[in-house]
């Protein structure tokens, strides 16, 4: 039987990589997106080119639905009849969740409830459900963090994800649904949103080299994170739903770096000293910080056979190269331009 996957958040970073992965495995994929005043399908435009949306038998289609709108979710479930549901949609920015707490909770916590409840009400007990849970749920719990680590969320985002985590477990226990959580640690890519610290850094470097920007303003440079590659993590997401039983899994690299390390590595690729270009500002500090996240993915390695393939150095290079390429620059061309920058920045 052909598998049918519904992906919420398909126009997001992970949604786009997951759609690619599932299409390559022969799935029929339906993505949902909410209405925006300006098109923002850049991450999946290449998939529209490969799969003609006007063909009734197309393997890939995107329809409008919203995690804050139960009827839209019910409609798409009824019409598409998925065998697997990947709930990736979220207000996914931790810092912004302090400013939009109510809608973050609505989308990230009540949203998964609406989806799970619609699946249950449809009597679709065989549907496998994946919930995009997050290392931010661990918050202030000291590293390393595994499935057994207590949750101590430090933000509305973290709290919303804890609620969704338990709602997913509750549907598993109370109704026997195949509902699993992937507790993913930070994962990045050239498709990462522009206001996440890693992408902000690589994009800013490309702008500095292109002469469009002088300095980057950043908040907490001491935050320690376990950064992996989104392309690797969607493989973990898929494996979680192929497991023989529903369960909860940490997906992480098991390596921790500070924001300073990320700056050092990415600026270092162009032989630049990041301290010449970065201003630390309290403006971006959060009311409560998460000091250190380091995942222990032993369970996923053992039970799912999952492991990351892209390391920290490769991730830094991949993201920087992509942002430079968007400015029409190869790494060598950027290095040459960076050489001219150095004396100017140092006031020589
Ligand atoms: N990346 C990470 O490091 C990480 C780590 C742990 C967990 N997660 C979680 O994993 C999931 C995917 O992450 P990501 O990095 O791909 O995030 P992302 O790029 O921000 O994608 C999230 C998607 O959700 C959509 N969305 C937001 N509100 C919605 C609503 N009300 N109805 C329907 N769609 C809505 C967004 O649409 P718009 O484009 O219209 O805003 C966006 O396409 C998220 O749930 C995130 O919280 C991510």
């Amino acid at each position: 039987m052909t598998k049918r996957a519904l992906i919420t958040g398909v126009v997001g970073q992970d949604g786009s990589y997951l759609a690619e992965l599932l299409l390559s495995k022969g799935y029929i994929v339906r993505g949902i997106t909410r209405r925006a005043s300006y098109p923002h399908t850049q991450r999946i435009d290449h998939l529209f080119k490969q799969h003609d949306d006007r063909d009734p038998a197309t393997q890939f289609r995107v329809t409008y639905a919203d995690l804050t709108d139960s009827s839209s979710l019910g409609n798409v479930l009824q019409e598409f009849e998925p065998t697997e549901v990947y709930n990736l949609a979220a207000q996914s920015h931790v810092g912004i969740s302090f400013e939009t707490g109510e809608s973050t909770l609505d989308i990230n916590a009540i949203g998964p409830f609406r989806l799970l409840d619609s699946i249950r009400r449809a009597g679709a007990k065989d549907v496998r459900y994946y919930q995009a849970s997050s290392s931010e749920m661990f918050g202030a719990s000291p590293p390393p963090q595994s499935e057994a680590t207590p949750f101590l969320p430090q933000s509305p985002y973290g709290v919303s994800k804890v609620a969704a985590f338990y709602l997913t477990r509750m549907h598993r226990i109370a109704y026997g649904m195949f509902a699993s959580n992937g507790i993913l640690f930070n994962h990045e890519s050239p498709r990462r949103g522009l206001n996440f610290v890693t992408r902000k850094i690589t994009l800013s470097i490309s702008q500095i080299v292109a002469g469009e920007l002088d300095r980057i303003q950043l908040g907490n440079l001491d935050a320690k994170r376990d950064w992996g590659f989104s392309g690797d993590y969607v493989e973990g997401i898929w494996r979680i739903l192929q497991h023989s039983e529903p369960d909860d899994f940490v997906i992480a690299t098991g390596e921790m770096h500070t924001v300073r390390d990320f700056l050092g590595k990415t600026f270092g690729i162009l032989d630049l000293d990041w301290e010449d270009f970065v201003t630390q500002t309290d403006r971006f500090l959060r009311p409560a910080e998460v000091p250190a996240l380091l995942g222990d993915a032993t369970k996923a390695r053992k039970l799912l056979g999952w492991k990351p393939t892209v390391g920290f150095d490769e991730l830094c290079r991949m993201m920087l190269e992509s942002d430079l390429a968007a400015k029409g620059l190869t790494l060598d061309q950027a290095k040459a331009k960076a050489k001219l920058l150095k004396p100017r920045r140092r006031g020589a």
Side-chain angles (χ1 to χ4, degrees):
M1 196 181 81
T2 309
K3 290 184 172 179
R4 302 168 67 80
L6 180 69
I7 304 176
T8 74
V10 73
V11 302
Q13 172 187 249
D14 292 0
S16 65
Y17 283 112
L18 182 65
E20 277 170 17
L21 179 76
L22 298 182
L23 288 167
S24 75
K25 291 182 183 295
Y27 277 69
I28 297 175
V29 175
R30 176 70 61 92
I32 67 163
T33 186
R34 58 181 170 169
R35 190 258 170 188
S37 64
Y38 198 77
H40 59 312
T41 54
Q42 301 90 324
R43 293 175 175 118
I44 55 167
D45 281 343
H46 59 294
L47 297 177
F48 289 132
K49 287 191 187 121
Q50 293 157 17
H51 303 277
D52 187 350
D53 184 58
R54 291 160 303 183
D55 176 359
T58 184
Q59 208 189 332
F60 179 62
R61 179 165 292 147
V62 174
T63 43
Y64 285 113
D66 195 309
L67 279 198
T68 61
D69 178 344
S70 304
S71 67
S72 70
L73 299 173
N75 286 344
V76 72
L77 285 166
Q78 195 182 9
E79 182 254 320
F80 181 60
E81 296 185 335
T83 55
E84 296 173 11
V85 174
Y86 295 87
N87 183 32
L88 307 183
Q91 190 301 93
S92 65
H93 198 284
V94 175
I96 293 170
S97 77
F98 286 99
E99 287 159 47
T100 61
E102 186 177 334
S103 62
T104 298
L105 286 159
D106 191 8
I107 297 166
N108 296 7
I110 315 287
F113 176 79
R114 292 184 183 104
L115 204 41
L116 284 158
D117 192 54
S118 299
I119 297 169
R120 180 179 70 82
R121 281 169 187 276
K125 275 211 161 185
D126 294 336
V127 173
R128 295 184 170 209
Y129 175 89
Y130 172 86
Q131 173 58 30
S133 290
S134 163
S135 55
E136 285 289 326
M137 302 188 306
F138 296 121
S141 267
Q145 294 99 356
S146 73
E147 295 81 1
T149 304
F151 296 144
L152 267 178
Q154 297 279 86
S155 62
Y157 173 83
V159 171
S160 72
K161 288 290 185 179
V162 170
F165 174 91
Y166 283 119
L167 285 165
T168 302
R169 277 190 96 209
M170 184 278 282
H171 279 75
R172 181 161 86 217
I173 293 161
Y175 304 119
M177 288 172 63
F178 195 112
S180 297
N181 285 289
I183 308 173
L184 272 54
F185 282 61
N186 293 59
H187 46 282
E188 320 296 310
S189 74
R191 298 183 196 169
R192 186 59 146 147
L194 304 183
N195 55 1
F196 290 85
V197 67
T198 51
R199 184 72 198 284
K200 182 173 170 183
I201 292 169
T202 59
L203 179 66
S204 300
I205 294 174
S206 72
Q207 291 169 329
I208 287 169
V209 172
E212 299 164 6
L213 186 75
D214 281 338
R215 296 185 75 77
I216 318 176
Q217 292 202 329
L218 295 173
N220 182 5
L221 304 184
D222 298 316
K224 297 187 182 111
R225 292 291 180 270
D226 179 334
W227 280 297
F229 170 52
S230 173
D232 282 342
Y233 284 37
V234 298
E235 172 73 28
I237 288 173
W238 175 72
R239 287 187 187 214
I240 287 171
L241 279 204
Q242 310 317 304
H243 192 49
S244 52
E245 53 197 50
D247 205 343
D248 308 318
F249 293 92
V250 161
I251 298 285
T253 69
E255 254 189 55
M256 192 163 66
H257 297 273
T258 60
V259 174
R260 270 174 221 278
D261 294 338
F262 194 91
L263 285 164
K265 185 57 68 180
T266 46
F267 274 91
I269 293 169
L270 300 184
D271 302 323
L272 292 170
D273 181 348
W274 67 267
E275 295 194 60
D276 291 339
F277 301 97
V278 174
T279 306
Q280 201 273 325
T281 166
D282 291 351
R283 209 181 113 215
F284 294 120
L285 293 182
R286 289 158 186 180
E289 292 283 335
V290 169
L293 295 173
L294 172 65
D296 174 356
T298 308
K299 182 175 170 184
R301 281 177 194 253
K302 278 194 184 146
L303 296 185
L304 307 177
W306 176 87
K307 61 176 189 326
T309 66
V310 175
F312 181 70
D313 290 6
E314 194 184 341
L315 180 66
C316 290
R317 179 173 289 265
M318 177 202 293
M319 292 179 70
L320 181 61
E321 267 187 328
S322 166
D323 279 322
L324 290 170
K327 300 270 174 228
L329 294 170
T330 64
L331 218 45
D332 285 341
Q333 288 167 332
K335 268 187 198 168
K337 277 183 167 276
K339 264 201 188 110
L340 302 175
L341 274 179
K342 254 196 288 199
R344 203 174 73 215
R345 292 295 330 153
R346 295 205 169 117

